[in-house]
Amino acid sequence: MIEFWVREYFTQPEFHRIDGKPVVFVFSPGQLKKCAELFGEKAGTLLTRPDAKGKAHGVKGIFFVAVSNEEPGENLQRFFAGEGYSGYTGWNYVLLKDKSKTADYNPMVDTYSNLFAASSQIDKYLPYIASVSPGWDSRPWGSGNAVVRENSTPEKFENMLRPARKFMDTRLGIKRKIVMIEAWNEFGEGAYIEPIQKWGVKYLEAIMNVFGKERSH
């Protein structure tokens, strides 16, 4: 699998890199850990092996990013660093502070903003990559068990992006800066920025307003 990655993806000049290393997000570090244990291995072994194989094929190494919905903190950093990850981020923090099934999107914006402010003070073991979300409504997939954050708009999403930009600009440990957006087209979870009939390209314009004024994309 790693040889396929190297051959088909890592050699492409547009593949995203941090510190010269191609970036690979591990969506579920917990699941990787369980799978490793089935083979009598540690999760860290499953990261160091492909890293070594990549180097054998001329790749500088692989920048593995752990994805976790837990609140960023020193203990989480220490754990992921021990597992062999180069950085960590979150997929979404919809239920981190407010466990309500239905709530407004605005407090979700505040939660993310507070996480960015707190994370800027605790990067001791691993760099944290800011994660943002345009909304959440899992009724298409979750039916009666769905979690909904109402009244999300491109303008409110832009309010979430601005503190993410501020956080990103303070990161000194990562030369190539990055913000993770959840997601491009998760229509089944109500988290998407792909153009649709209702909003057109306004979500993309929100990103451009915050990140794209200095250079054309």
Side-chain angles (χ1 to χ4, degrees):
M1 182 179 69
I2 304 304
E3 291 176 350
F4 181 85
W5 288 0
V6 173
R7 184 176 67 252
E8 301 295 334
Y9 296 106
F10 294 168
T11 55
Q12 297 182 22
E14 64 270 27
F15 195 96
H16 190 80
R17 290 171 173 79
I18 292 178
D19 296 335
K21 300 178 181 180
V23 181
V24 174
F25 285 77
V26 177
F27 180 76
S28 179
Q31 189 65 29
L32 180 67
K33 188 174 185 295
K34 290 180 181 178
C35 290
E37 290 170 352
L38 292 176
F39 291 99
E41 300 280 6
K42 293 183 178 180
T45 304
L46 298 187
L47 299 180
T48 55
R49 282 180 181 171
D51 190 72
K53 187 173 284 290
K55 290 178 179 177
H57 286 78
V59 176
K60 189 176 179 180
I62 302 175
F63 196 100
F64 282 108
V65 179
V67 181
S68 170
N69 291 339
E70 295 183 45
E71 184 169 353
E74 289 187 32
N75 289 337
L76 197 60
Q77 288 178 42
R78 190 183 296 110
F79 173 75
F80 286 139
E83 293 284 281
Y85 292 94
S86 302
Y88 74 114
T89 188
W91 179 240
N92 67 63
Y93 301 110
V94 178
L95 295 172
L96 185 62
K97 300 295 184 181
D98 186 349
K99 307 299 183 183
S100 305
K101 284 198 170 183
T102 302
D104 192 77
Y105 176 71
N106 276 334
M108 184 173 160
V109 174
D110 295 337
T111 294
Y112 278 64
S113 299
N114 293 337
L115 287 178
F116 303 150
S119 297
S120 64
Q121 308 298 321
I122 58 174
D123 279 3
K124 292 185 177 181
Y125 303 97
L126 282 184
Y128 174 72
I129 295 174
S131 169
V132 296
S133 176
W136 189 265
D137 183 348
S138 60
R139 284 177 293 184
W141 287 351
S143 188
N145 296 317
V147 174
V148 181
R149 293 298 176 259
E150 300 177 317
N151 305 314
S152 59
T153 67
E155 291 76 18
K156 293 177 182 178
F157 178 54
E158 188 170 327
N159 291 337
M160 183 183 287
L161 291 174
R162 293 196 180 281
R165 168 68 189 262
K166 182 179 179 180
F167 170 82
M168 184 187 75
D169 285 344
T170 64
R171 299 299 85 209
L172 301 177
I174 300 179
K175 297 177 183 177
R176 185 79 180 273
K177 297 176 181 181
I178 179 174
V179 170
M180 201 282 288
I181 300 176
E182 187 271 319
W184 172 251
N185 60 354
E186 285 281 13
F187 292 108
E189 296 176 344
Y192 50 84
I193 58 174
E194 184 175 358
I196 62 171
Q197 185 173 1
K198 180 178 181 179
W199 298 114
V201 297
K202 289 187 179 298
Y203 276 97
L204 302 184
E205 289 175 344
I207 297 170
M208 182 181 68
N209 291 340
V210 177
F211 295 100
K213 288 197 171 187
E214 297 172 4
R215 295 184 302 274
S216 172
H217 293 286

